[in-house]
């Protein structure tokens, strides 16, 4: 293979030596009081820094890898804490370098002192994501796995936790590697037939080529099809409680959050400002907004509250239209329902007050006619809790597309950079398939295949520029 492109297909992992010569330190746990707090040190001087700030029976530089040492953390002559140090020797550590992790009592002030002691002893403060960046640069994980670390830390649902962990453990990387191998194989055979015009190499028939490209394209597209559910369980949805005054929006808000968050009174027009909180509805992260009751505003504060409610409605993904089951479908309800065309659930609250003889089906039917996108209709009582589980389920079902949770086989995309690159790859594969199908020269097909390969490679970090790496890792937290 004479083509310089082929020579660059297996680049050495790019290691920016200058970056890796420093020893870095940072607090790895969130800055609040807790049972434990961790300060992490990584780099060639980790043990020398460690031995300056930590005294135990054996110096850290002399204990074997994966040892826990009990000892005393100190800054100069001052004792800071009784602590435990975990020792990991290169390359058997998270970063691939010598690492010491101090577990101390979880006081923010104490942790800052321990960090300061490490900095005084020769470490420098780690940049955001620098531990994970080093793990990537030292070949402990590829870029897709490194990004999965951030996704795991940020996960808001069971689904996104599981998908991020799978990705961290290499599910996406393995799939991309298999696509890559097959792409390389096709390219190599195309190149070979370019180099050997005679019949030395068995020719790849155009049919064979188009169908091989087609199946790569199909697999890339089915990976891309996981992006919406990845997004849904990563970011969740915005839902708004809306309806005329006094129907029990704030009561439902409190009940769904299981907290006494919003003011509830029997006066119509209690809520003015919008209130926003997050919770899990049947496993789906929901950011829920309570709003002012919709009616003709009676005075400037209420009018402003209603204007805010309307803005919240515009920004929402799902509307929960609340009505009073004991007084259903008044003229005010109908005016409120006529507003907007978002996917919606109709909730008849105060079912405990409703006449047991009411025809729920008829009421539901009439309410549904007023909406363009109703998906569910539930009778609930914020007071007794009746129907609340049904409301949570209806919220999750309305927000997630059919089968949204189905993981099927293989990884789910959770990171927008991967989605964009796989889109590029799928488009390039489609172009290659068309070029092959319409009998264009091998070079043209190869060109599109290379574009696809390049996009796949950038997902796992091959050939990614320093700027892109900096951009990715700067979004991590410090200490990760
Ligand atoms: N019996 C009964 N009363 C309820 C229920 N839900 C709410 N209420 C009562 O209805 C009144 C109004 O409740 P809110 O939650 O403040 O109603 P709202 O829709 O937020 O009202 P505004 O903020 O004024 O628009 C209060 O007295 C609540 O205690 C319910 O399920 N059953
Ligand atoms: Mg209210």
């Amino acid at each position: 293979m004479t083509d310089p492109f082929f020579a660059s297909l297996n680049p050495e992992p790019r290691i920016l030596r200058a970056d890796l010569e420093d020893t870095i330190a940072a607090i790895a746990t969130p800055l609040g009081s807790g049972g434990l707090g961790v300060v992490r040190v990584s780099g060639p001087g980790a043990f020398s820094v460690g031995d300056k700030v930590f005294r135990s029976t054996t110096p850290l530089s002399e204990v074997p890898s994966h040892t826990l040492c009990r000892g005393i953390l100190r800054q100069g002559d001052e004792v800071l804490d009784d602590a435990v140090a975990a020792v990991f020797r290169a390359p058997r550590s998270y970063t691939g370098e010598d690492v010491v992790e101090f577990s101390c009592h979880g006081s923010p002030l104490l942790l800052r002192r321990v960090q300061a002691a490490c900095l005084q002893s020769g470490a420098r403060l780690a940049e955001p994501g620098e531990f994970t960046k080093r793990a990537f640069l030292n070949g402990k994980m590829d870029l897709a796995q490194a990004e999965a670390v951030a996704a795991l830390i940020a996960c808001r649902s069971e689904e996104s936790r599981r998908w991020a962990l799978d990705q961290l453990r290499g599910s996406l990387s393995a799939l991309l590697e298999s696509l890559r191998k097959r792409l390389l194989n096709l390219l190599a055979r195309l190149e070979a037939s370019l180099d050997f015009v005679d019949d030395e190499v068995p020719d790849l028939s155009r049919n064979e080529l188009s169908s091989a490209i087609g199946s790569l394209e199909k697999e890339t597209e089915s990976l891309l099809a996981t992006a919406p559910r990845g997004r849904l369980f990563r970011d969740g949805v915005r839902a708004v409680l809306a309806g005329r005054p006094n129907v029990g929006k704030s009561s439902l808000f409190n009940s769904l959050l299981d907290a006494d968050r919003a003011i509830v009174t029997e006066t119509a027009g209690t809520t003015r400002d919008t209130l926003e909180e997050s919770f899990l509805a049947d496993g789906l992260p929901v950011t829920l907004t309570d709003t002012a009751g919709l009616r003709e505003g009676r005075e400037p504060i209420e009018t402003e509250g209603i204007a805010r409610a309307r803005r919240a409605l515009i920004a929402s993904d799902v509307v929960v239209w609340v009505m009073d089951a004991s007084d259903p479908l008044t003229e005010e309800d109908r005016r409120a329902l006529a507003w907007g065309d978002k996917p919606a659930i109709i909730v008849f609250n105060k079912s405990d007050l409703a006449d047991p003889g009411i025809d729920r089906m008829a009421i539901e039917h009439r309410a549904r006619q007023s909406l363009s996108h109703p998906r569910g209709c539930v009778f609930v009582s914020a007071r007794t809790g009746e129907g609340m589980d049904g409301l949570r389920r209806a919220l999750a079902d309305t927000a997630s597309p059919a089968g949204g949770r189905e993981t099927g086989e293989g990884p789910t995309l959770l990171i927008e950079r991967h989605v964009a690159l796989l889109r590029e790859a799928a488009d390039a594969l489609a172009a290659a398939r068309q070029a092959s199908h319409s009998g264009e020269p091998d070079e043209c097909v190869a060109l599109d295949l290379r574009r696809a390969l390049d996009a796949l490679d950038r997902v796992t970090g091959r050939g990614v520029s320093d700027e892109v790496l900096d951009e990715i890792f700067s979004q991590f937290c410090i200490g990760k």
Side-chain angles (χ1 to χ4, degrees):
M1 283 186 227
T2 43
D3 189 324
F5 176 79
F6 283 91
S8 71
L9 285 177
N10 282 307
E12 287 298 302
R14 179 199 19 199
I15 297 186
L16 310 173
R17 275 286 145 218
D19 262 5
L20 299 178
E21 272 163 16
D22 295 348
T23 294
I24 54 172
I27 301 168
T29 39
L31 270 188
S33 300
L36 290 176
V38 172
V39 175
R40 203 182 223 181
V41 187
S42 178
F47 299 140
S48 112
V49 171
D51 281 332
K52 283 188 194 130
V53 302
F54 187 77
R55 297 283 151 76
S56 60
T57 39
T58 317
L60 299 178
S61 47
E62 289 169 22
V63 300
S65 188
H66 294 69
T67 305
L68 291 181
C69 304
R70 171 95 192 269
I72 286 168
L73 274 166
R74 49 206 310 157
Q75 186 167 28
D77 291 334
E78 191 185 355
V79 173
L80 296 178
D81 196 11
D82 240 346
V84 170
V87 171
F88 305 90
R89 292 185 178 275
R92 292 176 56 214
S93 70
Y94 180 71
T95 55
E97 306 171 331
D98 286 343
V99 169
V100 179
E101 285 177 9
F102 296 114
S103 297
C104 359
H105 294 98
S107 138
L109 184 133
L110 168 65
L111 289 166
R112 276 199 210 96
R113 290 286 310 269
V114 175
Q115 177 181 274
C118 293
L119 302 186
Q120 222 171 45
S121 306
R124 75 160 161 79
L125 186 62
E127 286 164 21
E130 196 171 0
F131 291 94
T132 307
K133 184 178 182 183
R134 287 181 172 209
F136 165 67
L137 292 174
N138 289 318
K140 297 294 282 188
M141 54 177 82
D142 66 28
L143 195 53
Q145 289 174 299
E147 290 169 289
V149 171
L152 184 59
I153 292 173
C155 72
R156 290 173 63 196
S157 66
E158 245 331 283
E159 276 76 6
S160 57
R161 178 195 67 74
R162 222 174 38 240
W163 296 334
L165 184 66
D166 278 354
Q167 192 171 316
L168 175 56
R169 300 178 72 185
S171 61
L172 178 62
S173 311
L175 176 61
L176 295 180
E177 192 52 37
S178 100
L179 294 176
R180 174 174 204 272
K181 277 212 179 97
R182 285 151 60 196
L183 247 177
L184 272 177
N185 184 277
L186 285 181
L187 269 167
R189 292 177 69 183
L190 274 179
E191 285 294 316
S193 58
L194 284 180
D195 285 353
F196 304 92
V197 219
D198 306 330
D199 285 341
E200 288 173 50
V201 177
D203 222 8
L204 187 59
S205 84
R206 272 307 163 114
N207 272 348
E208 209 187 326
L209 179 64
S210 309
S211 103
I213 299 172
S215 73
L216 285 170
E217 183 192 350
K218 216 167 118 207
E219 284 168 55
T220 311
E221 287 291 357
S222 56
L223 184 54
L224 274 167
T226 66
R229 72 162 180 249
R231 227 168 259 146
L232 187 68
F233 285 91
R234 181 193 63 203
D235 300 338
V237 291
R238 301 187 67 83
V240 167
L241 287 158
R244 69 179 158 95
N246 226 28
V247 289
K249 299 179 293 300
S250 301
S251 305
L252 288 171
F253 186 70
N254 289 343
S255 173
L256 287 168
L257 298 175
D258 199 17
D260 186 17
R261 175 72 176 84
I263 300 175
V264 168
T265 74
E266 57 206 14
T267 313
T270 301
T271 304
R272 302 299 177 84
D273 236 334
T274 49
L275 290 180
E276 197 177 281
E277 292 292 340
S278 294
F279 76 109
L280 287 178
D282 218 24
L284 178 75
V286 174
T287 303
L288 186 66
T289 306
D290 182 26
T291 61
L294 298 171
R295 65 175 172 189
E296 292 301 317
R298 316 225 155 156
E299 33 83 26
I301 306 176
E302 184 172 12
T303 308
E304 176 56 24
I306 293 167
R308 286 173 187 225
R310 291 191 186 284
R311 288 203 289 276
L313 278 166
I314 291 169
S316 70
D317 303 307
V318 176
V319 181
V320 181
W321 288 112
V322 186
M323 271 155 254
D324 184 336
S326 67
D327 181 18
L329 285 172
T330 64
E331 199 37 48
E332 245 170 358
D333 285 328
R334 266 190 254 276
R335 271 205 295 275
L337 279 176
W339 197 92
D341 57 354
K342 301 264 172 164
I345 309 166
I346 300 173
V347 175
F348 289 100
N349 184 35
K350 307 195 190 182
S351 62
D352 57 301
L353 295 182
D355 173 357
I358 58 164
D359 184 351
R360 289 189 173 189
M361 301 273 275
I363 297 173
E364 277 181 37
H365 180 70
R366 274 194 290 142
R368 280 209 172 94
Q369 286 178 325
S370 312
L371 282 177
S372 46
H373 286 285
R375 299 248 180 101
C377 198
V378 279
F379 280 76
V380 304
S381 166
R383 180 150 301 169
T384 66
E386 188 211 331
M388 291 303 293
D389 283 343
L391 171 55
R392 289 188 188 91
R393 258 195 316 278
L395 200 49
D397 290 348
T398 307
S400 55
R405 232 165 262 246
E406 283 307 312
T407 54
E409 289 291 299
T412 294
L413 294 177
L414 279 173
I415 289 157
E416 293 305 325
R417 192 183 72 87
H418 302 171
V419 180
L421 287 170
L422 286 163
R423 183 74 267 149
E424 267 183 49
D427 291 349
L429 287 167
R433 182 177 43 75
Q434 268 153 25
S436 161
H437 186 71
S438 56
E440 286 183 37
D442 285 357
E443 289 92 326
C444 296
V445 182
L447 211 64
D448 288 325
L449 290 182
R450 285 169 194 188
R451 277 202 296 129
L453 183 68
D454 176 59
L456 289 185
D457 277 351
R458 276 184 288 148
V459 177
T460 49
R462 283 190 182 90
V464 166
S465 70
D466 291 347
E467 290 71 37
V468 172
L469 287 184
D470 286 347
E471 166 75 24
I472 290 170
F473 287 105
S474 67
Q475 289 161 16
F476 279 51
C477 31
I478 292 206
K480 192 60 236 178

